[in-house]
Amino acid sequence: MSPIEELDEITAEDMKIPGVADVVRESVTHHKPHGSDPVSDQTMILNMGPQHPSTHGVLRLVIELDGETVISLAPDIGYLHTGIEKTCEAKFYAQVTPMTDRIDYLCPMTNNTAYALAVEKLLELEIPERAQYIRVLFNELTRIQSHLVWLGTHAMDIGALTVFLYCFREREALLRIFEAVSGQRMMTSFVRIGGVSLELPPGLLKDIRTFLADFPSKIAEYEGLLNGNPIWQSRLKDVGMLSAEDAIALGVSGPPMRASGIDFDVRRDMPYSGYEKFQFNVPVSNGCDVWARYLVRMDEMRESVKICLQALDGLPEGRIMADAPKIILPDREQMKTQMESLIHHFKIVTEGFAVPVGEATSSVEAPHGMMNYYVVSDGTAKPYRVHMRNADFANLQALETMCKGRLIADVVAVIGSIDVVLGAIDR
Amino acid sequence: MTDPITNPATPEACFGKEAVSLALADHAAVQGLAEYILDAKWDRKELTLTVAPENIVAACKAAQAAGYVFFEDVTGVDWYPAEPRFQLSYSLLSYKLKQRIRVVVRLNEGQSVASITGVWPAANFYEREVFDLFGVPFTGHPNLTRIMMPDNWKGHPLRKDYPVEGYR
């Protein structure tokens, strides 16, 4: 069917743009807010987002209000329509790595690592120690980078613009490091199946050390701006309460879970990529409120600096890719001299590599919480099914519990405290 | 390399049928779940337990009692054209044991499975996602509507017989 014929297929019904009345009716009928009479004089339905500045892009919240008090809240998701899981099924295993960058665009290295770990589990590949250390180093730098975006935007939502500018200044330094190592600032695709894609460029380790030496004083600077600020305190303390029981029941993970007093961190408790060799603390708080989530993330940044320094000190020499010629692309130099390497390169690029049948789940501690990749292989060169479990999706479910009975102004503070990225929520 | 056309994916080709082995008897999950398990598989250091669709709520409650208190997610796999067509994989985690298990349910098209939102409210969004993208209905779900696609969307995009570019 030609594109013009396809246009003819679209009916008037498809072209209909819903008016305001339709949107409200749809909100009321499909999200079933509290109360039997949707249009009573007691409550009001308010659509917050998808263009509200605090909803981080494309999140729409259908909120039922009694005065300014939230009675019920339903997140309406599904605006990006990346179709990412479906697309993964049509790609070779190696071609999925750039897709994973885009699912949660603030922590590409963590996404890459999680996907690579799942496929490596299926392939039963051994990863060289140097590659593991580099993965750990960049995973932690990604955590700092993601937390900086969170802190900046969270503070901005509440009205503190200076912190936003300061955070993005430090984030810029990290993006330059990512660019130096992978050629890309955000969509790095740096961690690959079997290791990492490139050797670290000369002088980069010194740049990272300079950043790490400087960064703790920057954290102190942010805290100096925020901690004693009475507006910041009153907007955060005792707001968005989430008990430990609710956190478990609602599947909340990551910093919001640890801020509810649950002491669990995938890096420490179910270590991957050599995290068992590193010494670090897991920040936990019993505050259960937005303030506790703020403190937990600030401490996490300090711990990440510690881990990065250990990774730099202990970085071993050796290969950055596993020794598996039929899976890993050969060195450029080898291709110029060895016919076999050229053949392997050609076959891997054109046909991909087959992965043994089975299913595997990998789990990493991403900046936003637990990130799992569930990969099913049918023995061919393309994944049969790739499922991404991002913490944001479950954390968003807890939003209603955290906001019920509070003022609508608190919803803004709570959204910031769960650090939501809509790319990770949509499929 | 295996050709996907001459070697269609079937669950039998992918997962061999194995009985519950003695090695699994030590696993805490097997103790509480034993009466519901149809099949168990220990592969790549991961435990997969298959249960009958009608037993999923009881099996989840037993797993929860055995220490698997954290529901990670539920997702589907479409084994079209094999029968039973759908596989639902529930991933459960124990903070205490630091272990994860996968509970699997196999369903035919049109068959429904009980919702586990009564055991974990966290399953709410995930079951809606599976319903939306695979078209598997969950009985007893509090609000079984589409979550990703528009309400008037035709078809279920993650089914294998749904084209990558969509119908339109």
Side-chain angles (χ1 to χ4, degrees), chain A residues 24-304:
Chain A
V24 173
R25 194 182 321 113
E26 191 245 310
S27 316
V28 170
T29 49
H30 291 290
H31 299 289
K32 296 190 185 71
H34 178 267
S36 55
D37 181 11
V39 195
S40 74
D41 47 5
Q42 295 295 312
T43 63
M44 180 179 90
I45 303 289
L46 183 79
N47 282 287
M48 188 169 163
Q51 283 88 20
H52 192 277
S54 78
T55 53
H56 296 248
V58 290
L59 175 65
R60 170 182 174 233
L61 301 172
V62 181
I63 307 175
E64 189 185 13
L65 292 171
D66 180 3
E68 282 192 54
T69 310
V70 176
I71 295 184
S72 76
L73 180 152
D76 183 10
I77 53 186
Y79 276 97
L80 296 171
H81 298 303
T82 50
I84 209 151
E85 287 181 4
K86 183 83 177 171
T87 317
C88 289
E89 293 170 13
K91 304 264 178 207
F92 291 138
Y93 278 93
Q95 290 172 328
V96 174
T97 303
M99 312 280 298
T100 61
D101 289 329
R102 283 148 182 85
I103 184 113
D104 184 348
Y105 38 80
L106 291 182
C107 39
M109 303 273 191
T110 329
N111 294 312
N112 297 165
T113 310
Y115 171 69
L117 285 170
V119 180
E120 283 156 9
K121 207 183 223 181
L122 284 168
L123 288 164
E124 296 180 55
L125 263 188
E126 281 289 319
I127 309 307
E129 212 180 7
R130 183 176 174 83
Q132 291 194 353
Y133 269 73
I134 296 174
R135 279 183 183 185
V136 168
L137 174 65
F138 279 96
N139 268 268
E140 293 309 317
L141 290 177
T142 305
R143 188 180 319 279
I144 297 174
Q145 189 262 131
S146 175
H147 281 4
L148 284 174
V149 177
W150 154 77
L151 179 62
T153 51
H154 184 36
M156 192 175 62
D157 287 346
I158 293 175
L161 188 67
T162 315
V163 184
F164 173 78
L165 298 172
Y166 282 21
C167 288
F168 272 62
R169 180 186 63 192
E170 270 72 72
R171 178 179 181 245
E172 189 58 32
L174 283 171
L175 291 183
R176 285 208 189 111
I177 290 169
F178 292 173
E179 192 177 4
V181 79
S182 69
Q184 285 281 335
R185 285 157 60 85
M186 283 177 81
M187 307 301 161
T188 54
S189 301
F190 177 62
V191 179
R192 301 278 170 90
I193 298 163
V196 293
S197 63
L198 291 162
E199 187 49 86
L200 303 177
L204 186 79
L205 293 184
K206 201 167 148 260
D207 290 351
I208 299 176
R209 268 190 202 280
T210 313
F211 174 82
L212 294 174
D214 210 20
F215 188 61
S217 69
K218 306 286 185 191
I219 302 178
E221 200 176 348
Y222 310 142
E223 289 186 337
L225 282 164
L226 293 172
N227 282 9
N229 186 326
I231 300 173
W232 182 253
Q233 288 189 6
S234 56
R235 291 295 304 273
L236 265 62
K237 282 186 177 169
D238 300 325
V239 171
M241 301 300 284
L242 183 73
S243 67
E245 292 75 30
D246 282 345
I248 293 176
L250 291 164
V252 173
S253 59
M257 175 189 82
R258 288 189 285 276
S260 292
I262 300 163
D263 188 9
F264 184 83
D265 189 308
V266 186
R267 292 175 294 170
R268 182 195 63 195
D269 296 321
M270 297 169 85
Y272 54 93
S273 198
Y275 264 109
E276 64 277 5
K277 294 172 201 148
F278 293 83
Q279 297 291 321
F280 60 97
N281 300 319
V282 176
V284 181
S285 167
N286 285 319
C288 305
D289 56 358
V290 176
W291 179 258
R293 281 163 227 147
Y294 160 69
L295 294 181
V296 163
R297 286 204 183 89
M298 295 306 263
D299 282 345
E300 274 190 8
M301 287 201 277
R302 290 198 183 87
E303 295 300 322
S304 290

